[in-house]
Amino acid sequence: MRAVALGGGHGLSATLSALRHMSEVADVTAVVTVADDGGSSGRIRRELGGLLPPGDLRMALVALAAHDDGGRRWAELVQHRFGGTGALAGHAVGNLLLAGLMEILDDPVEALDEVCRLLGVRGRVLPMSRVPLDMEAEVSGLDETHPGRLHRIRGQVAVASTPGRVERVWLHPDRPPACEQAVEAVRLADLVLLGPGSWFTSVLPHLLVPGLREALHETAARRVVVLNLAPEPGETADFSPEQHLAVLAAHAPELRVDAVLADVAAVAVPHRLRRAARAMMGPGGRVHLAPVAAEDPLVPRHEPAALAAALREVLAASAPMPAGRRA
């Protein structure tokens, strides 16, 4: 089975770790957002100009690194951040490695493939676009006297941390070109996962790249939305599970999925989620509720083995492919 996971940051890492638990998945491709403008990635973008932000790409590479001694040692080095107060302080070694390779090779996909070989990655890590992107949003609730007034904010960090309510997001440049290898991976996949992750800044951006959105519409793969365990402070504060789906539908009305997977403890009113999902599903689509959260009282996160088991149940329950879709 060929699986493609779309997202960014810790959410994508959780999905990739789950896919590694599935022996039936022989090939994994991570398609990663490239709009990060904060931290080490933001500094590299500002100082070197024109390079893809490497942070989310690095995290996906580490999630897929080999579990042998060599893979673990290289993964540890790639994740290592410099301390101190100088120019290197806060930079991850892997971010600098990727930035250097992208400059030398002048091809971000070739640079990522090189690091995949170094880490013994089972699969591939690809950017959703070969060009760095910027994010902009309309946000309400920033003006106490006029709470419905919309304000524009720019930058992924600003969107993720806004105290207001995000109403809509878009990318710059408008209608950005999709990475052709990512489009091909989605078209040829047997399973495509969207989410979990920061909803507006890691999940939604994939639907704002026309080439990827079209590939998601046309692929014969099982398309599964994996919902977050809890609302995130800032961009999805107080969001219900069904509101997450409503946001997807508003930004990509033509999107159809085969299943929605959510943690059973995170869904207070299951029938509302099923009703919201119905509008996005084709024939035979289902909402699956399963215990997929790790027992961590401080940070909500998916437990890879539990998420893998739930994905197996989703695949087993999937309806036969409609006529005209690839066998």
Side-chain angles (χ1 to χ4, degrees):
M1 180 182 293
R2 291 167 291 192
V4 175
L6 297 90
H10 295 286
L12 179 59
S13 294
T15 306
L16 297 174
S17 297
L19 290 172
R20 293 194 60 158
H21 278 75
M22 301 175 67
S23 59
E24 59 269 45
V25 176
D27 183 84
V28 179
T29 299
V31 179
V32 186
T33 53
V34 288
D36 190 6
D37 62 349
S40 171
S41 289
R43 289 164 59 192
I44 287 171
R45 286 186 67 172
R46 290 188 295 273
E47 294 173 15
L48 299 181
L51 291 182
L52 296 181
D56 285 353
L57 295 165
R58 183 197 82 247
M59 291 178 65
L61 287 162
V62 169
L64 292 175
H67 283 173
D68 57 22
D69 290 343
R72 282 192 289 267
R73 176 59 57 85
W74 280 110
E76 182 181 8
L77 176 63
V78 163
Q79 287 288 70
H80 175 72
R81 288 187 185 273
F82 292 105
T85 58
L88 290 177
H91 276 304
V93 171
N95 288 359
L96 300 177
L97 175 64
L98 281 168
L101 280 171
M102 284 190 274
E103 281 200 340
I104 291 170
L105 300 173
D106 196 28
D107 183 339
V109 172
E110 189 176 346
L112 287 162
D113 287 344
E114 283 289 337
V115 181
C116 280
R117 284 189 280 271
L118 181 69
L119 296 174
V121 165
R122 189 191 94 186
R124 205 172 188 193
V125 175
L126 298 169
M128 69 178 188
S129 177
R130 287 172 171 268
V131 298
L133 304 175
D134 289 303
M135 178 167 288
E136 196 166 348
E138 284 184 337
V139 179
S140 62
L142 296 181
D143 186 340
E144 291 184 2
T145 59
H146 299 91
R149 179 176 293 170
L150 296 178
H151 298 259
R152 288 193 175 190
I153 59 175
R154 184 156 184 164
Q156 180 172 310
V157 171
V159 176
S161 59
T162 179
R165 181 185 178 91
V166 180
E167 305 290 346
R168 184 171 69 95
V169 295
W170 58 94
L171 297 173
H172 294 282
D174 187 35
R175 299 180 62 81
C179 172
E180 57 272 24
Q181 290 90 343
V183 170
E184 181 182 22
V186 171
R187 290 187 185 278
L188 296 179
D190 302 297
L191 172 66
V192 175
L193 303 178
L194 186 64
S198 298
W199 214 244
F200 284 99
T201 54
S202 291
V203 178
L204 266 178
H206 295 279
L207 303 177
L208 304 179
V209 179
L212 271 181
R213 187 172 64 242
E214 292 164 9
L216 279 167
H217 179 69
E218 297 170 0
T219 183
R222 297 283 185 256
R223 292 160 293 195
V224 181
V225 172
V226 183
L227 291 178
N228 290 343
L229 299 172
E232 290 192 308
E235 60 183 272
T236 57
D238 302 321
F239 266 42
S240 66
E242 52 269 22
Q243 282 176 297
H244 285 75
L245 293 185
V247 165
L248 290 184
H251 285 78
E254 74 282 7
L255 177 66
R256 292 294 175 267
V257 300
D258 299 288
V260 173
L261 174 60
D263 181 67
V264 64
V267 181
V269 190
H271 77 268
R272 290 183 184 171
L273 179 61
R274 292 189 176 96
R275 185 171 58 205
R278 202 173 299 131
M280 301 180 63
M281 289 183 175
R286 288 182 56 188
V287 171
H288 295 259
L289 303 180
V292 294
E295 294 182 6
D296 188 338
L298 299 178
V299 181
R301 60 184 180 86
H302 287 80
E303 203 288 311
L307 182 55
L311 288 171
R312 288 192 186 96
E313 293 180 6
V314 170
L315 291 171
S318 294
M321 288 185 180
R325 295 183 70 182
R326 178 176 55 82

PDB file of all heavy atoms in Angstrom, residues 4-8 11-12 15-16 19 29-33 128 182 186 191-197 202-203 205-207 212-213 216 224:
ATOM      1  N   VAL A   4       0.049   8.567   1.553  1.00  0.00           N
ATOM      2  CA  VAL A   4       0.515   9.951   1.525  1.00  0.00           C
ATOM      3  C   VAL A   4      -0.125  10.675   2.702  1.00  0.00           C
ATOM      4  O   VAL A   4      -1.340  10.581   2.910  1.00  0.00           O
ATOM      5  CB  VAL A   4       0.142  10.658   0.210  1.00  0.00           C
ATOM      6  CG1 VAL A   4       0.535  12.132   0.261  1.00  0.00           C
ATOM      7  CG2 VAL A   4       0.816   9.967  -0.978  1.00  0.00           C
ATOM      8  N   ALA A   5       0.680  11.383   3.479  1.00  0.00           N
ATOM      9  CA  ALA A   5       0.183  12.172   4.602  1.00  0.00           C
ATOM     10  C   ALA A   5       0.490  13.637   4.338  1.00  0.00           C
ATOM     11  O   ALA A   5       1.635  13.989   4.034  1.00  0.00           O
ATOM     12  CB  ALA A   5       0.838  11.722   5.908  1.00  0.00           C
ATOM     13  N   LEU A   6      -0.535  14.482   4.444  1.00  0.00           N
ATOM     14  CA  LEU A   6      -0.382  15.906   4.200  1.00  0.00           C
ATOM     15  C   LEU A   6      -0.541  16.664   5.510  1.00  0.00           C
ATOM     16  O   LEU A   6      -1.483  16.413   6.268  1.00  0.00           O
ATOM     17  CB  LEU A   6      -1.428  16.401   3.196  1.00  0.00           C
ATOM     18  CG  LEU A   6      -1.377  15.812   1.784  1.00  0.00           C
ATOM     19  CD1 LEU A   6      -2.254  14.561   1.686  1.00  0.00           C
ATOM     20  CD2 LEU A   6      -1.845  16.839   0.752  1.00  0.00           C
ATOM     21  N   GLY A   7       0.370  17.596   5.776  1.00  0.00           N
ATOM     22  CA  GLY A   7       0.270  18.372   7.007  1.00  0.00           C
ATOM     23  C   GLY A   7       1.567  19.096   7.281  1.00  0.00           C
ATOM     24  O   GLY A   7       2.284  19.517   6.372  1.00  0.00           O
ATOM     25  N   GLY A   8       1.865  19.235   8.566  1.00  0.00           N
ATOM     26  CA  GLY A   8       3.078  19.921   8.988  1.00  0.00           C
ATOM     27  C   GLY A   8       3.240  19.813  10.485  1.00  0.00           C
ATOM     28  O   GLY A   8       2.286  19.531  11.216  1.00  0.00           O
ATOM     29  N   GLY A  11       1.649  17.419  14.193  1.00  0.00           N
ATOM     30  CA  GLY A  11       0.526  16.624  13.706  1.00  0.00           C
ATOM     31  C   GLY A  11       0.945  15.662  12.609  1.00  0.00           C
ATOM     32  O   GLY A  11       0.582  14.483  12.623  1.00  0.00           O
ATOM     33  N   LEU A  12       1.728  16.154  11.656  1.00  0.00           N
ATOM     34  CA  LEU A  12       2.210  15.293  10.577  1.00  0.00           C
ATOM     35  C   LEU A  12       3.143  14.216  11.120  1.00  0.00           C
ATOM     36  O   LEU A  12       3.095  13.064  10.687  1.00  0.00           O
ATOM     37  CB  LEU A  12       2.914  16.136   9.520  1.00  0.00           C
ATOM     38  CG  LEU A  12       3.499  15.371   8.334  1.00  0.00           C
ATOM     39  CD1 LEU A  12       2.423  14.598   7.582  1.00  0.00           C
ATOM     40  CD2 LEU A  12       4.222  16.327   7.381  1.00  0.00           C
ATOM     41  N   THR A  15       1.105  11.341  12.392  1.00  0.00           N
ATOM     42  CA  THR A  15       0.547  10.523  11.321  1.00  0.00           C
ATOM     43  C   THR A  15       1.614   9.625  10.713  1.00  0.00           C
ATOM     44  O   THR A  15       1.380   8.436  10.458  1.00  0.00           O
ATOM     45  CB  THR A  15      -0.056  11.426  10.222  1.00  0.00           C
ATOM     46  OG1 THR A  15      -0.983  12.331  10.814  1.00  0.00           O
ATOM     47  CG2 THR A  15      -0.769  10.601   9.175  1.00  0.00           C
ATOM     48  N   LEU A  16       2.787  10.180  10.465  1.00  0.00           N
ATOM     49  CA  LEU A  16       3.871   9.395   9.874  1.00  0.00           C
ATOM     50  C   LEU A  16       4.299   8.266  10.809  1.00  0.00           C
ATOM     51  O   LEU A  16       4.566   7.147  10.361  1.00  0.00           O
ATOM     52  CB  LEU A  16       5.055  10.301   9.547  1.00  0.00           C
ATOM     53  CG  LEU A  16       4.787  11.399   8.505  1.00  0.00           C
ATOM     54  CD1 LEU A  16       5.995  12.312   8.379  1.00  0.00           C
ATOM     55  CD2 LEU A  16       4.423  10.786   7.156  1.00  0.00           C
ATOM     56  N   LEU A  19       1.772   5.500  10.482  1.00  0.00           N
ATOM     57  CA  LEU A  19       1.923   4.746   9.232  1.00  0.00           C
ATOM     58  C   LEU A  19       3.094   3.766   9.315  1.00  0.00           C
ATOM     59  O   LEU A  19       3.055   2.689   8.712  1.00  0.00           O
ATOM     60  CB  LEU A  19       2.103   5.700   8.062  1.00  0.00           C
ATOM     61  CG  LEU A  19       0.861   6.521   7.676  1.00  0.00           C
ATOM     62  CD1 LEU A  19       1.214   7.576   6.628  1.00  0.00           C
ATOM     63  CD2 LEU A  19      -0.253   5.602   7.147  1.00  0.00           C
ATOM     64  N   THR A  29       4.796   8.747   1.820  1.00  0.00           N
ATOM     65  CA  THR A  29       5.240  10.056   1.354  1.00  0.00           C
ATOM     66  C   THR A  29       4.617  11.123   2.242  1.00  0.00           C
ATOM     67  O   THR A  29       3.400  11.137   2.439  1.00  0.00           O
ATOM     68  CB  THR A  29       4.841  10.309  -0.110  1.00  0.00           C
ATOM     69  OG1 THR A  29       5.450   9.329  -0.948  1.00  0.00           O
ATOM     70  CG2 THR A  29       5.279  11.705  -0.558  1.00  0.00           C
ATOM     71  N   ALA A  30       5.447  12.001   2.778  1.00  0.00           N
ATOM     72  CA  ALA A  30       4.978  13.151   3.543  1.00  0.00           C
ATOM     73  C   ALA A  30       4.983  14.362   2.625  1.00  0.00           C
ATOM     74  O   ALA A  30       5.992  14.652   1.981  1.00  0.00           O
ATOM     75  CB  ALA A  30       5.881  13.397   4.747  1.00  0.00           C
ATOM     76  N   VAL A  31       3.857  15.067   2.577  1.00  0.00           N
ATOM     77  CA  VAL A  31       3.766  16.322   1.823  1.00  0.00           C
ATOM     78  C   VAL A  31       3.594  17.432   2.853  1.00  0.00           C
ATOM     79  O   VAL A  31       2.625  17.435   3.613  1.00  0.00           O
ATOM     80  CB  VAL A  31       2.608  16.300   0.816  1.00  0.00           C
ATOM     81  CG1 VAL A  31       2.530  17.622   0.061  1.00  0.00           C
ATOM     82  CG2 VAL A  31       2.775  15.139  -0.164  1.00  0.00           C
ATOM     83  N   VAL A  32       4.533  18.376   2.864  1.00  0.00           N
ATOM     84  CA  VAL A  32       4.715  19.272   4.004  1.00  0.00           C
ATOM     85  C   VAL A  32       4.450  20.729   3.609  1.00  0.00           C
ATOM     86  O   VAL A  32       4.852  21.174   2.526  1.00  0.00           O
ATOM     87  CB  VAL A  32       6.148  19.138   4.563  1.00  0.00           C
ATOM     88  CG1 VAL A  32       6.315  19.952   5.836  1.00  0.00           C
ATOM     89  CG2 VAL A  32       6.487  17.664   4.822  1.00  0.00           C
ATOM     90  N   THR A  33       3.799  21.459   4.503  1.00  0.00           N
ATOM     91  CA  THR A  33       3.565  22.887   4.289  1.00  0.00           C
ATOM     92  C   THR A  33       4.885  23.658   4.277  1.00  0.00           C
ATOM     93  O   THR A  33       5.857  23.259   4.926  1.00  0.00           O
ATOM     94  CB  THR A  33       2.674  23.471   5.390  1.00  0.00           C
ATOM     95  OG1 THR A  33       3.242  23.152   6.659  1.00  0.00           O
ATOM     96  CG2 THR A  33       1.276  22.902   5.323  1.00  0.00           C
ATOM     97  N   MET A 128       4.948  20.895  -0.322  1.00  0.00           N
ATOM     98  CA  MET A 128       3.722  21.025  -1.113  1.00  0.00           C
ATOM     99  C   MET A 128       3.934  21.960  -2.300  1.00  0.00           C
ATOM    100  O   MET A 128       3.218  21.870  -3.298  1.00  0.00           O
ATOM    101  CB  MET A 128       2.552  21.502  -0.254  1.00  0.00           C
ATOM    102  CG  MET A 128       2.628  22.917   0.240  1.00  0.00           C
ATOM    103  SD  MET A 128       1.127  23.319   1.185  1.00  0.00           S
ATOM    104  CE  MET A 128       1.395  25.081   1.423  1.00  0.00           C
ATOM    105  N   ALA A 182       4.819  15.785  -5.480  1.00  0.00           N
ATOM    106  CA  ALA A 182       3.760  15.636  -4.484  1.00  0.00           C
ATOM    107  C   ALA A 182       2.426  15.337  -5.157  1.00  0.00           C
ATOM    108  O   ALA A 182       1.641  14.498  -4.683  1.00  0.00           O
ATOM    109  CB  ALA A 182       3.659  16.900  -3.633  1.00  0.00           C
ATOM    110  N   VAL A 186       0.118  11.864  -4.634  1.00  0.00           N
ATOM    111  CA  VAL A 186      -1.295  11.840  -4.255  1.00  0.00           C
ATOM    112  C   VAL A 186      -2.109  11.074  -5.293  1.00  0.00           C
ATOM    113  O   VAL A 186      -2.993  10.275  -4.949  1.00  0.00           O
ATOM    114  CB  VAL A 186      -1.832  13.282  -4.091  1.00  0.00           C
ATOM    115  CG1 VAL A 186      -3.348  13.280  -3.920  1.00  0.00           C
ATOM    116  CG2 VAL A 186      -1.172  13.951  -2.887  1.00  0.00           C
ATOM    117  N   LEU A 191      -3.858   5.418  -0.040  1.00  0.00           N
ATOM    118  CA  LEU A 191      -4.406   6.047   1.155  1.00  0.00           C
ATOM    119  C   LEU A 191      -3.831   7.447   1.260  1.00  0.00           C
ATOM    120  O   LEU A 191      -2.611   7.634   1.144  1.00  0.00           O
ATOM    121  CB  LEU A 191      -4.022   5.232   2.397  1.00  0.00           C
ATOM    122  CG  LEU A 191      -4.347   5.841   3.768  1.00  0.00           C
ATOM    123  CD1 LEU A 191      -5.862   5.940   3.966  1.00  0.00           C
ATOM    124  CD2 LEU A 191      -3.711   5.006   4.883  1.00  0.00           C
ATOM    125  N   VAL A 192      -4.699   8.446   1.452  1.00  0.00           N
ATOM    126  CA  VAL A 192      -4.261   9.826   1.662  1.00  0.00           C
ATOM    127  C   VAL A 192      -4.850  10.317   2.978  1.00  0.00           C
ATOM    128  O   VAL A 192      -6.061  10.218   3.200  1.00  0.00           O
ATOM    129  CB  VAL A 192      -4.703  10.754   0.510  1.00  0.00           C
ATOM    130  CG1 VAL A 192      -4.331  12.204   0.827  1.00  0.00           C
ATOM    131  CG2 VAL A 192      -4.064  10.331  -0.803  1.00  0.00           C
ATOM    132  N   LEU A 193      -3.988  10.849   3.847  1.00  0.00           N
ATOM    133  CA  LEU A 193      -4.415  11.363   5.145  1.00  0.00           C
ATOM    134  C   LEU A 193      -4.233  12.872   5.180  1.00  0.00           C
ATOM    135  O   LEU A 193      -3.174  13.393   4.804  1.00  0.00           O
ATOM    136  CB  LEU A 193      -3.584  10.728   6.266  1.00  0.00           C
ATOM    137  CG  LEU A 193      -3.589   9.200   6.348  1.00  0.00           C
ATOM    138  CD1 LEU A 193      -2.688   8.735   7.480  1.00  0.00           C
ATOM    139  CD2 LEU A 193      -4.999   8.668   6.537  1.00  0.00           C
ATOM    140  N   LEU A 194      -5.273  13.563   5.640  1.00  0.00           N
ATOM    141  CA  LEU A 194      -5.234  15.008   5.815  1.00  0.00           C
ATOM    142  C   LEU A 194      -5.478  15.300   7.285  1.00  0.00           C
ATOM    143  O   LEU A 194      -6.549  14.989   7.811  1.00  0.00           O
ATOM    144  CB  LEU A 194      -6.302  15.671   4.946  1.00  0.00           C
ATOM    145  CG  LEU A 194      -6.329  17.198   4.898  1.00  0.00           C
ATOM    146  CD1 LEU A 194      -5.047  17.737   4.270  1.00  0.00           C
ATOM    147  CD2 LEU A 194      -7.541  17.695   4.116  1.00  0.00           C
ATOM    148  N   GLY A 195      -4.482  15.893   7.961  1.00  0.00           N
ATOM    149  CA  GLY A 195      -4.564  16.109   9.395  1.00  0.00           C
ATOM    150  C   GLY A 195      -3.998  14.908  10.138  1.00  0.00           C
ATOM    151  O   GLY A 195      -3.691  13.882   9.533  1.00  0.00           O
ATOM    152  N   PRO A 196      -3.818  15.052  11.462  1.00  0.00           N
ATOM    153  CA  PRO A 196      -4.127  16.202  12.311  1.00  0.00           C
ATOM    154  C   PRO A 196      -3.051  17.270  12.191  1.00  0.00           C
ATOM    155  O   PRO A 196      -2.090  17.115  11.436  1.00  0.00           O
ATOM    156  CB  PRO A 196      -4.143  15.590  13.709  1.00  0.00           C
ATOM    157  CG  PRO A 196      -3.092  14.512  13.628  1.00  0.00           C
ATOM    158  CD  PRO A 196      -3.233  13.940  12.244  1.00  0.00           C
ATOM    159  N   GLY A 197      -3.233  18.356  12.949  1.00  0.00           N
ATOM    160  CA  GLY A 197      -2.253  19.428  12.954  1.00  0.00           C
ATOM    161  C   GLY A 197      -2.925  20.769  13.132  1.00  0.00           C
ATOM    162  O   GLY A 197      -4.149  20.858  13.248  1.00  0.00           O
ATOM    163  N   SER A 202      -1.382  24.372   9.033  1.00  0.00           N
ATOM    164  CA  SER A 202      -0.692  23.154   8.587  1.00  0.00           C
ATOM    165  C   SER A 202      -1.555  22.246   7.720  1.00  0.00           C
ATOM    166  O   SER A 202      -1.042  21.550   6.851  1.00  0.00           O
ATOM    167  CB  SER A 202      -0.191  22.339   9.791  1.00  0.00           C
ATOM    168  OG  SER A 202       0.848  23.005  10.459  1.00  0.00           O
ATOM    169  N   VAL A 203      -2.870  22.240   7.955  1.00  0.00           N
ATOM    170  CA  VAL A 203      -3.766  21.330   7.233  1.00  0.00           C
ATOM    171  C   VAL A 203      -4.391  22.019   6.020  1.00  0.00           C
ATOM    172  O   VAL A 203      -4.273  21.548   4.886  1.00  0.00           O
ATOM    173  CB  VAL A 203      -4.852  20.776   8.174  1.00  0.00           C
ATOM    174  CG1 VAL A 203      -5.819  19.874   7.415  1.00  0.00           C
ATOM    175  CG2 VAL A 203      -4.199  19.999   9.322  1.00  0.00           C
ATOM    176  N   PRO A 205      -3.590  24.710   4.256  1.00  0.00           N
ATOM    177  CA  PRO A 205      -2.787  25.191   3.128  1.00  0.00           C
ATOM    178  C   PRO A 205      -2.701  24.229   1.949  1.00  0.00           C
ATOM    179  O   PRO A 205      -2.612  24.660   0.802  1.00  0.00           O
ATOM    180  CB  PRO A 205      -1.406  25.419   3.768  1.00  0.00           C
ATOM    181  CG  PRO A 205      -1.721  25.791   5.175  1.00  0.00           C
ATOM    182  CD  PRO A 205      -2.895  24.919   5.554  1.00  0.00           C
ATOM    183  N   HIS A 206      -2.750  22.933   2.205  1.00  0.00           N
ATOM    184  CA  HIS A 206      -2.686  21.972   1.094  1.00  0.00           C
ATOM    185  C   HIS A 206      -3.870  22.131   0.143  1.00  0.00           C
ATOM    186  O   HIS A 206      -3.756  21.886  -1.061  1.00  0.00           O
ATOM    187  CB  HIS A 206      -2.650  20.541   1.646  1.00  0.00           C
ATOM    188  CG  HIS A 206      -1.417  20.247   2.437  1.00  0.00           C
ATOM    189  ND1 HIS A 206      -0.224  19.927   1.851  1.00  0.00           N
ATOM    190  CD2 HIS A 206      -1.195  20.247   3.772  1.00  0.00           C
ATOM    191  CE1 HIS A 206       0.691  19.728   2.780  1.00  0.00           C
ATOM    192  NE2 HIS A 206       0.117  19.923   3.962  1.00  0.00           N
ATOM    193  N   LEU A 207      -5.012  22.531   0.684  1.00  0.00           N
ATOM    194  CA  LEU A 207      -6.207  22.702  -0.143  1.00  0.00           C
ATOM    195  C   LEU A 207      -6.198  24.029  -0.888  1.00  0.00           C
ATOM    196  O   LEU A 207      -7.049  24.259  -1.749  1.00  0.00           O
ATOM    197  CB  LEU A 207      -7.459  22.618   0.736  1.00  0.00           C
ATOM    198  CG  LEU A 207      -7.603  21.328   1.547  1.00  0.00           C
ATOM    199  CD1 LEU A 207      -8.840  21.395   2.433  1.00  0.00           C
ATOM    200  CD2 LEU A 207      -7.658  20.112   0.633  1.00  0.00           C
ATOM    201  N   LEU A 212      -2.503  20.468  -5.919  1.00  0.00           N
ATOM    202  CA  LEU A 212      -2.744  19.463  -4.881  1.00  0.00           C
ATOM    203  C   LEU A 212      -4.231  19.244  -4.662  1.00  0.00           C
ATOM    204  O   LEU A 212      -4.682  18.106  -4.470  1.00  0.00           O
ATOM    205  CB  LEU A 212      -2.091  19.888  -3.568  1.00  0.00           C
ATOM    206  CG  LEU A 212      -0.648  19.461  -3.323  1.00  0.00           C
ATOM    207  CD1 LEU A 212      -0.186  19.956  -1.959  1.00  0.00           C
ATOM    208  CD2 LEU A 212      -0.498  17.949  -3.407  1.00  0.00           C
ATOM    209  N   ARG A 213      -4.998  20.334  -4.673  1.00  0.00           N
ATOM    210  CA  ARG A 213      -6.447  20.209  -4.475  1.00  0.00           C
ATOM    211  C   ARG A 213      -7.068  19.364  -5.587  1.00  0.00           C
ATOM    212  O   ARG A 213      -7.916  18.503  -5.325  1.00  0.00           O
ATOM    213  CB  ARG A 213      -7.089  21.595  -4.433  1.00  0.00           C
ATOM    214  CG  ARG A 213      -8.566  21.574  -4.058  1.00  0.00           C
ATOM    215  CD  ARG A 213      -9.119  22.968  -3.832  1.00  0.00           C
ATOM    216  NE  ARG A 213      -9.070  23.768  -5.056  1.00  0.00           N
ATOM    217  CZ  ARG A 213      -8.358  24.888  -5.183  1.00  0.00           C
ATOM    218  NH1 ARG A 213      -7.626  25.326  -4.179  1.00  0.00           N
ATOM    219  NH2 ARG A 213      -8.378  25.564  -6.315  1.00  0.00           N
ATOM    220  N   LEU A 216      -6.173  15.716  -5.041  1.00  0.00           N
ATOM    221  CA  LEU A 216      -7.000  15.140  -3.975  1.00  0.00           C
ATOM    222  C   LEU A 216      -8.402  14.819  -4.483  1.00  0.00           C
ATOM    223  O   LEU A 216      -9.015  13.832  -4.054  1.00  0.00           O
ATOM    224  CB  LEU A 216      -7.090  16.115  -2.800  1.00  0.00           C
ATOM    225  CG  LEU A 216      -5.907  16.131  -1.836  1.00  0.00           C
ATOM    226  CD1 LEU A 216      -5.988  17.348  -0.914  1.00  0.00           C
ATOM    227  CD2 LEU A 216      -5.872  14.849  -1.018  1.00  0.00           C
ATOM    228  N   VAL A 224      -8.817  10.215   3.937  1.00  0.00           N
ATOM    229  CA  VAL A 224      -9.229  10.193   5.342  1.00  0.00           C
ATOM    230  C   VAL A 224      -8.801  11.484   6.021  1.00  0.00           C
ATOM    231  O   VAL A 224      -7.629  11.874   5.950  1.00  0.00           O
ATOM    232  CB  VAL A 224      -8.608   8.986   6.086  1.00  0.00           C
ATOM    233  CG1 VAL A 224      -9.072   8.962   7.540  1.00  0.00           C
ATOM    234  CG2 VAL A 224      -8.967   7.687   5.376  1.00  0.00           C
TER     235      VAL A 224
END
